[in-house]
Amino acid sequence: VVSCGAAEILLFVLAIALGMPLPLLAAQLLWLNVVTNGIQDVSLAFEPGESGVMERPPRPPKESIFNKLMIRQVLVSGVLMGLIVFGVWWYLIDILKWEEVIARNIILMLMVLFQNVHTFNCRSEKRSVFKIPIKKTLILFFGVLGAQLLHTIATYIPFMQKVLGVSPISFKHWLILLLVASSVLWIMELFKIFKNKK
């Protein structure tokens, strides 16, 4: 998902600009972009076409794949996720004074959760997430579930713990991170309502 990449760029730009440690290591970025995000991208490829799409006027032949609506959605979701993740990183490092390796573990899990939640936003540019039945594409649902399980399992495997610098997180932190990650769902729902009314 392009917006997740935009969020990562914003996260690093802010951290570097403010002289903070890097929020994620190279192996963690690779894991995010190739493994967890890759599973979601493949799953989205099996998403069926939107209902009523044939009733819409055709797109102009010269229009870019990244039209105005897509660019706005990428910017809104990307900036939102980037700012929130950076805010969490800043809070953990500067306020709570956590060790970098522990804070990165939290940030990586938050990014994975953001990716998984935002994947459902990407099912349609205009329709609400809650109006598209999951049963239409179980591949997407299980793909997102698989990506999340893969990362969670990796936090318990010694070899992956060493490579990715991860460790299991508490149930309390799970709930907090899931609540934070859900913000991108509600903001994009509001964005779609606003755009549809306009």
Side-chain angles (χ1 to χ4, degrees), residues 40-108:
Q40 298 151 0
D41 292 344
V42 172
S43 300
L44 277 172
F46 291 92
E47 187 73 9
E50 290 188 61
S51 59
V53 68
M54 296 303 293
E55 298 172 7
R56 301 176 192 171
R59 293 174 59 163
K62 294 183 179 180
E63 184 180 68
S64 171
I65 295 177
F66 291 94
N67 58 20
K68 290 182 179 180
L69 178 58
M70 183 179 289
I71 291 173
R72 287 170 185 165
Q73 288 183 330
V74 167
L75 287 176
V76 170
S77 57
V79 169
L80 174 72
M81 290 187 288
L83 288 177
I84 290 176
V85 176
F86 173 75
V88 173
W89 175 247
W90 172 80
Y91 181 72
L92 296 178
I93 294 295
D94 279 11
I95 303 301
L96 298 183
K97 304 298 182 181
W98 281 18
E99 294 181 18
E100 291 177 22
V101 64
I102 300 175
R104 285 194 183 102
N105 183 45
I106 293 294
I107 291 300
L108 183 59

Side-chain angles (χ1 to χ4, degrees), residues 12-59:
F12 273 79
V13 168
L14 289 174
I16 293 172
L18 295 178
M20 298 183 67
L22 294 179
L24 295 168
L25 301 177
Q28 294 171 331
L29 275 174
L30 191 63
W31 176 260
L32 269 177
N33 295 322
V34 177
V35 182
T36 57
N37 206 1
I39 294 174
Q40 298 151 0
D41 292 344
V42 172
S43 300
L44 277 172
F46 291 92
E47 187 73 9
E50 290 188 61
S51 59
V53 68
M54 296 303 293
E55 298 172 7
R56 301 176 192 171
R59 293 174 59 163

Side-chain angles (χ1 to χ4, degrees), residues 3-197:
S3 50
C4 292
E8 292 168 10
I9 293 173
L10 179 58
L11 170 63
F12 273 79
V13 168
L14 289 174
I16 293 172
L18 295 178
M20 298 183 67
L22 294 179
L24 295 168
L25 301 177
Q28 294 171 331
L29 275 174
L30 191 63
W31 176 260
L32 269 177
N33 295 322
V34 177
V35 182
T36 57
N37 206 1
I39 294 174
Q40 298 151 0
D41 292 344
V42 172
S43 300
L44 277 172
F46 291 92
E47 187 73 9
E50 290 188 61
S51 59
V53 68
M54 296 303 293
E55 298 172 7
R56 301 176 192 171
R59 293 174 59 163
K62 294 183 179 180
E63 184 180 68
S64 171
I65 295 177
F66 291 94
N67 58 20
K68 290 182 179 180
L69 178 58
M70 183 179 289
I71 291 173
R72 287 170 185 165
Q73 288 183 330
V74 167
L75 287 176
V76 170
S77 57
V79 169
L80 174 72
M81 290 187 288
L83 288 177
I84 290 176
V85 176
F86 173 75
V88 173
W89 175 247
W90 172 80
Y91 181 72
L92 296 178
I93 294 295
D94 279 11
I95 303 301
L96 298 183
K97 304 298 182 181
W98 281 18
E99 294 181 18
E100 291 177 22
V101 64
I102 300 175
R104 285 194 183 102
N105 183 45
I106 293 294
I107 291 300
L108 183 59
M109 179 64 81
L110 179 56
M111 282 299 302
V112 172
L113 285 168
F114 259 131
Q115 286 179 346
N116 287 326
V117 172
H118 187 52
T119 297
F120 292 100
N121 288 327
C122 300
R123 298 181 74 198
S124 173
E125 290 184 333
K126 298 181 179 180
R127 292 186 67 191
S128 167
V129 168
F130 304 104
K131 291 183 178 180
I132 308 176
I134 287 293
K135 63 182 181 181
K136 277 193 171 183
T137 312
L138 290 177
I139 293 176
L140 177 65
F141 176 77
F142 286 112
V144 169
L145 183 62
Q148 187 61 56
L149 282 174
L150 183 63
H151 180 71
T152 303
I153 291 171
T155 65
Y156 288 89
I157 300 175
F159 172 74
M160 296 304 295
Q161 289 176 339
K162 185 176 182 180
V163 171
L164 295 176
V166 295
S167 59
I169 64 174
S170 67
F171 182 69
K172 175 185 175 181
H173 287 144
W174 255 104
L175 290 179
I176 294 173
L177 293 179
L178 186 57
L179 181 63
V180 172
S182 70
S183 62
V184 72
L185 177 67
W186 306 115
I187 293 298
M188 293 311 295
E189 283 292 297
L190 291 174
F191 178 87
K192 289 177 183 178
I193 290 172
F194 174 78
K195 291 300 296 181
N196 289 336
K197 285 185 176 180

